[in-house]
Amino acid sequence: MKDIDKWKKNADLDNLSDDEKMILDEMGLSGSSRRKFLKQVSAASLSIWASSYFTSELFASNMKDLPDNPQILLNEIKVNLRVNEMVKPLTLDSRMSLLDALRERLALTGTKKGCDHGQCGACTVIIDGKRNLSCLTLAATCEGKEITTVEGLAKNGEMHPMQEAFLKHDGFQCGYCTPGQICSSVALLEEAKNGEASYVTEDLKKIEENLSLSEEEIRERMSGNICRCGAYNNIVQAFKEVNSGNDEMPTWEFATQEQMDKAKKA
């Protein structure tokens, strides 16, 4: 017997344990009202069970196989996404993340799916000038917002200065985290221009615009983007050159015991 038929059969019968009957009695449900309630619960269970099949069929398909207006969406919503200065009308599941919409529906695969939990920063894009983790952003909430991915940074065939700096200073190894690192760096340029504070800002009363960020500030502000290859020094240098024109390679040394103790207390 199929699972659906079992649900229907159980909904028509009072095959309940004593505890279940007691709970339903306390709810004031008996006879026909009890059977109606059980059918409703069964229908809800069915929808949860079926959703895994429908959504997996939708999200696992290739771009070529996905229809413009999928008919298997459970929570269909129409969204106009403005991505890289182009408006893209889409019919999406209301639960789809911006990351999946970019990659699976718009074929903008430069934005990478790393941890998919908002911890690595590989999926960073720029929304209305601010850094955002697209894996934690619902596509449905981006209606009317300006979204920029790594594909949209170059203009008229010319790379963004940050992209050129990453190439010049070899700010990558495997390159998987690079799109998120670059998008985060470009948005950070605006944060420095606007004089926004960070966790390591020494005096919040003396914040000025057009900040020339120190290595410590850059590392703190970029700490949400993880590079497992460890190209951090080169990334810092790439940002420094674009931010302040400083072409001097970043310095590093082994942490002293005092610095280690300070870090443990932070």
Side-chain angles (χ1 to χ4, degrees), residues 81-96:
L81 293 182
R82 183 173 176 80
V83 183
N84 299 333
E85 300 181 351
M86 295 181 65
V87 177
K88 305 287 187 179
L90 294 175
T91 301
L92 305 171
D93 188 296
S94 62
R95 300 162 296 176
M96 178 177 272

Side-chain angles (χ1 to χ4, degrees), residues 146-162:
E146 182 67 47
I147 303 167
T148 302
T149 69
V150 69
E151 292 93 341
L153 294 177
K155 302 295 182 184
N156 301 319
E158 297 291 332
M159 288 190 297
H160 189 282
M162 190 63 71

